[in-house]
């Protein structure tokens, strides 16, 4: 089968690979219908993710059809149409029993990282019973690919951790796919204001379409002052960090209200400064989280009932054979205006 | 009357001052029986607290007797024996209505800071109805002075924010009065292990008496490694920072378990490094808090019923006339082994 | 001034009464612009509320202008346009400090009950600082009258207590003003389904306009079976009881899912049967609550920003002189299709 | 092997049965070391549990050694010393993923109910990975048998659902094994007062030894009045119902404070009266729960570290051959003063 293979920093290729097979009784093999590329895949290609070694098939998102099943899988049948979670969860370990699937001792984020992933014609899924979700007939596959990772990530790491509430104020720093996923799902809780902050006017225009009540281009360095003015000097109740660099994290600390929460979603490569000399007495909460995908069943229900439309995040479409072009398009988002690219396998 | 007056950085004196009087209808005047000195008073004397100007009577802790009452005070009578909260709370503003008295728009930490405080024969207490607490006849005044500030601070900022739970593991960094207050009150929730970390063997010996299950002297730089070994490489569920410098805050990040909480209690003077490159995917929570004293009624009940004995924290006793010596003793804690010093007015 | 006076069971009259004056320093006097009638007023008129004695001016809802202020009131000025909370709260007692204003030891539901109320030209409001809310210039007074009682009641007693969540299923038993208020505010949390159950097709049609996804007329006795069929035999996550009779409460127990919540809002006059022989192992929660009006600031923000429109509940309008006719209209809701009636003073 | 078999209402016998074998790949077979009898077993023998048919081996509690394992079990080895949970949990279904193992779609309370149980030499345990817990070498088996059911039941259904808090007041109605288990585990949260109510002075004496601060014999019908007097007319914050009859449930409603919680633990055979005419405005919460055993790992840690000693509940000991006598002793608790009886297999 064809697969997108990571061959060391800066190197990737579409290669012919053997078909994956069930290895453990709890595995399934899924024929991929649609997959996508994540910002994390770009991190791997920069050589920033040591757990991902050369030779690995990338990708941790996708929908498809089950073609092979281990004997221990009880919840699925061959032919079932399924959503693949980016997080594999055994359902048995202490972390899984506490709902913290991200830290499953034999799972977590392993697809396209420590085992072969979804940017291929077929993929082996460990712990299938607790890592796949059935899709209703006729569902929009493109919308559902967004539920493998970015919707639960924006929702759990940003909205839930950030404790968004009816009538509250929210700022989201970073209007990329994850920031927009947080924006879409923050509206489940009817906050009064959602301020979106980014450097790219195109992405801010998207944010307004997605429900942001105010947008701020932070290029001029006045974003914090603007937010404080908007909120009468109080700051916002929830700040969601969806970029992952020191400057954006520090901005969060400048605009959080007393009693507020900073929910970090961004993947950080270096340490950041935390201004405790100013924040120690402000009663703030700062959270970090690798998505657990505990909210996937709820997100499936709300997507299928039309409450949210994650397909809005899809800007470009490619065939698996053209995945290198898909990577180019996704990497050059400032020019191509790409958010999420769909790859049909 | 006599009072301890801050006269600018490094300068303090016992001076004769006019008696405070009721200024607003919600005020009370309290004749101080016993007060104490807080680490924050030392910060003021270093010139680190700009809101506290020269000429200010210091002190925000104490018990005493009401001698004068504004007409709007409905919950107290002259002659009532009362505990003074370090936080003044109006009960009316948005923050007070949310239980965040620390940020009361006309109160918060003002005693011995922006208005005259308790290291004096008398003190004016604003918002008396919601900033004083009745003391039962025969109560131990020394124990109750601990409830003005350090018990609720250790409990709210450390134990409650840190989500200590039955069977969980806790580490407290800093075995001074606040750290020990957190240690005493953490035991309300029956954690399985409480590890105390400090540089001073005397204070660690106190911690063992107060209920610590393990103590670690961090002088050799191996504290983090020791904690990780103790916990099978997992880290602890709750880390309470009770020092307030960058090194101790960074230690907290090294020993917190996935899914755990770092509850900052320390007063910080500079920014700290937060290693998000390691913590972004660890599902941790970091909290800051100026004490709200919402737990004071509960702490009064548990002290009065003997569940905890905060008087254990008292190591030295002075008269108001000898308060300069009390300051010397408290400032030289490493030599004097002082924890809390009681000053009888 | 003119006022609607309760003169014992079944008797009421518009009478001339002396103007109320400030009695305590924390009081305000408000000139009523608009008020309304509540189902509870009808209970009083039946003689079911012993705390309300003959001679009492009824009414606990309204908006108006402050005309007199006690010296201890700090948050308002004469001429301020205000919303009156149905719950008076001192802000000082143990219950108020815990956010349970409904049980304030010198307040709670006293207006139009143990002290004179709002169905008059003027009303005295105790604890004004913590029982009145400022109204923005140009606000829709009719919408805001709904925030004195029924919106916070539906939201706090029904939606908050019922733990409505994104993607969850909700049933509301009773499509009167309170049930509709619960329906409006349940949507703050984006549940997947809201089933409305009532005997009156007109009210069910209103419910569909207000956002119910399914309506069931329970006249045929099959409501429980219909809900179970709709939910695949599982039941609903949240059931809100908004009627107050044994039959409707029992229905709630038949349709609640394992792990679900029954939030009682109805005012009950007799005991009900609780089928613990069936529910003891179902992991359900049943709550009761007299509204605390802690959510009033949030409801004001969401109403003023247009997220909800409580004015939809207003069906009829009268002058104070015609309040007896307003009572007739409101009492005969099945015929008049009345929900809330506005009375202009 | 020998087993205690239910042969229809009022009939039981020790019979010779075939050894259980692994039937599904997720099963284990456990050789029982120690088991016990539960009040629920007596309910079955009365014919009150239709899901339990004649021919069933009773018992859902025990510790033992694994003698056979299905191929899909990954967390255990033959020879492991294990605690058996009374609740079987697949770890995969929606309920298990939400931590509500009691309602596992292929598990829940099935042992000694819909499948053969633990009052035998061997037992087959379905879903072994998520229904067994490893026991440390040298652990007290008698203490651990208490963790199969009554400790987690008292803790989860009583203490956790009842929201016991530091400094709060608690009443437990029923001083049998479950009530005493709630009493032991309530102390994890350091409540100020725990009032135990029962008809049997012997059991009340046990309660005082176990930590009750007050005991009330309710024989004279004055229990409610006594509790109200003790609490200054306020009532208690948490009431735990550990009997299961209408009279004791009604007592709970008479003594719960405004804002308090009634946590039902008792197994009820008939409906009860809920006095909503008095409770509708009291802001109370009533909960029911079949134990989920989510707290078993925590209870194991706290038992093994000596924080609690569940072996205190054991009053009598028998061999499996003498289990009929054990039943007689346990059934006649008022005379024999039995709490829990240990049966050695």
């Amino acid at each position: 089968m064809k697969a997108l293979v990571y061959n060391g920093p800066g190197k990737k290729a579409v290669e012919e690979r053997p078909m994956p097979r069930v290895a453990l009784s709890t595995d399934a093999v899924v024929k991929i219908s649609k997959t996508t590329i994540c910002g994390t895949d770009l991190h791997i290609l920069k050589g920033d993710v040591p757990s991902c070694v050369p030779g690995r098939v990338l990708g941790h998102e996708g929908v498809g059809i089950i073609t092979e099943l281990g004997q221990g899988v009880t919840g699925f049948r061959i032919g079932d149409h399924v959503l693949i979670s980016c997080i594999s969860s055994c359902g048995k370990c202490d972390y899984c029993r506490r709902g913290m699937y991200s830290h499953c001792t034999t799972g977590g984020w392993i697809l396209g990282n420590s085992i072969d992933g979804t940017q291929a014609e077929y993929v082996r899924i460990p712990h299938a019973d607790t890592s796949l979700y059935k899709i209703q007939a006729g569902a929009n596959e493109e919308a559902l690919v967004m539920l493998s990772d970015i919707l639960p990530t924006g929702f759990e790491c940003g909205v839930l951790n950030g404790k968004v509430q009816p009538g509250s104020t929210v700022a989201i720093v970073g209007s990329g796919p994850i920031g927009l996923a947080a924006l879409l799902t923050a509206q489940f809780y009817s906050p009064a204001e959602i301020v979106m902050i980014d450097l790219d006017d195109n992405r801010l225009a998207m944010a307004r379409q997605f429900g942001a009540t105010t947008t701020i281009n932070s290029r001029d360095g006045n974003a914090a002052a603007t937010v404080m003015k908007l909120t009468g000097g109080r700051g916002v109740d929830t700040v969601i960090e969806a970029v992952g660099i020191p400057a954006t994290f520090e901005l969060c600390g400048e605009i959080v209200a007393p009693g507020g929460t900073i929910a970090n979603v961004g993947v950080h490569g270096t340490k950041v400064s935390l201004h405790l000399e100013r924040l120690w007495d402000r009663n703030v909460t700062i959270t970090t989280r690798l998505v657990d995908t505990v909210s996937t069943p709820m997100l499936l229900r709300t997507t299928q009932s039309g409450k949210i439309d994650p397909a809005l995040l899809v800007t470009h479409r490619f065939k698996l054979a053209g995945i290198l072009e898909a990577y180019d398009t996704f990497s050059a988002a400032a020019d191509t205006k790409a958010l999420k690219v769909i790859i049909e396998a």
Side-chain angles (χ1 to χ4, degrees), chain A:
Chain A
M1 66 164 194
K2 285 202 164 40
L4 188 282
V5 179
Y6 167 62
N7 286 321
K11 297 182 200 158
K12 62 180 180 298
V14 177
E15 298 184 4
E16 194 64 29
R17 297 290 290 259
M19 282 276 296
R21 305 299 309 264
V22 160
L24 294 169
S25 69
T26 46
D27 289 348
V29 173
V30 175
K31 179 176 194 311
I32 295 293
S33 310
K34 295 202 172 58
T35 183
T36 182
I37 304 170
C38 181
T40 317
D41 297 321
L42 304 186
H43 280 286
I44 291 173
L45 284 164
K46 283 188 198 149
D48 286 351
V49 182
S51 52
C52 185
V53 297
R56 178 72 62 237
V57 177
L58 296 185
H60 50 268
E61 301 165 276
V63 297
I65 305 281
I66 293 176
T67 56
E68 192 185 352
L69 275 177
Q71 292 197 327
V73 181
T74 57
F76 294 96
R77 298 189 177 202
I78 288 175
D80 276 356
H81 198 174
V82 292
L83 167 68
I84 299 167
S85 173
C86 66
I87 296 294
S88 302
S89 159
C90 74
K92 301 174 176 182
C93 71
D94 280 356
Y95 287 115
C96 282
R97 295 295 261 184
R98 291 163 55 193
M100 212 169 119
Y101 310 157
S102 56
H103 288 69
C104 172
T105 54
T106 58
W109 174 40
I110 54 175
L111 281 180
N113 177 1
S114 57
I115 66 170
D116 284 340
T118 59
Q119 293 169 3
E121 291 179 73
Y122 293 85
V123 63
R124 180 179 71 90
I125 302 295
H127 304 311
D129 267 330
T130 39
S131 307
L132 294 175
Y133 295 89
K134 255 178 222 165
I135 293 179
Q136 291 188 337
N140 177 346
E141 284 194 325
E142 294 192 354
L144 295 184
V145 171
M146 304 298 112
L147 269 61
S148 286
D149 181 344
I150 65 166
L151 261 284
T153 294
F155 180 64
E156 296 177 13
C157 308
V159 176
L160 281 187
N161 271 22
K163 288 172 260 168
V164 176
Q165 290 297 319
S168 72
T169 52
V170 180
I172 301 174
V173 181
S175 189
I178 291 286
L180 291 169
L183 172 58
L184 275 177
T185 55
Q187 295 169 71
F188 284 147
Y189 291 97
S190 310
E193 301 287 338
I194 310 180
V195 180
M196 202 82 182
I197 302 171
D198 201 286
L199 292 163
D200 180 334
D201 284 328
N202 174 55
R203 291 187 157 190
L204 291 173
M206 294 289 292
R208 284 191 296 274
Q209 286 176 38
F210 278 48
T213 54
T214 308
T215 56
I216 298 176
N217 189 311
S218 52
R219 204 181 308 114
D220 61 6
N222 294 332
T226 307
V227 171
M228 294 313 280
K229 196 172 164 193
L230 268 173
T231 57
R234 207 179 138 274
V236 292
D237 301 315
T238 299
V239 193
I240 297 175
E241 207 282 356
V243 178
I245 60 171
T248 48
F249 183 81
E250 289 199 44
L251 173 59
C252 295
E254 292 167 29
I255 62 178
V256 66
T261 300
I262 300 171
N264 185 77
V265 191
V267 177
H268 290 258
T270 62
K271 69 181 177 181
V272 302
S273 291
L274 177 62
H275 288 277
L276 282 184
E277 81 280 11
R278 202 177 63 81
L279 293 172
W280 74 268
D281 66 352
R282 301 272 284 181
N283 300 35
V284 298
T285 299
I286 300 163
T287 64
T288 73
R289 187 169 183 176
L290 178 61
V291 65
D292 294 302
T293 65
V294 287
S295 63
T296 305
M298 181 280 278
L299 292 168
L300 270 167
R301 283 197 301 276
T302 49
T303 299
Q304 288 171 349
S305 72
K307 290 239 165 223
I308 50 170
D309 183 5
L312 293 169
L313 292 161
V314 178
T315 53
H316 296 74
R317 288 163 187 86
F318 302 86
K319 299 282 176 185
L320 182 57
I323 191 169
L324 294 177
E325 190 189 343
Y327 264 92
D328 290 343
T329 300
F330 183 66
S331 304
D335 294 330
T336 61
K337 304 192 177 177
L339 291 171
K340 290 294 276 188
V341 300
I342 286 285
I343 293 139
E344 195 175 334

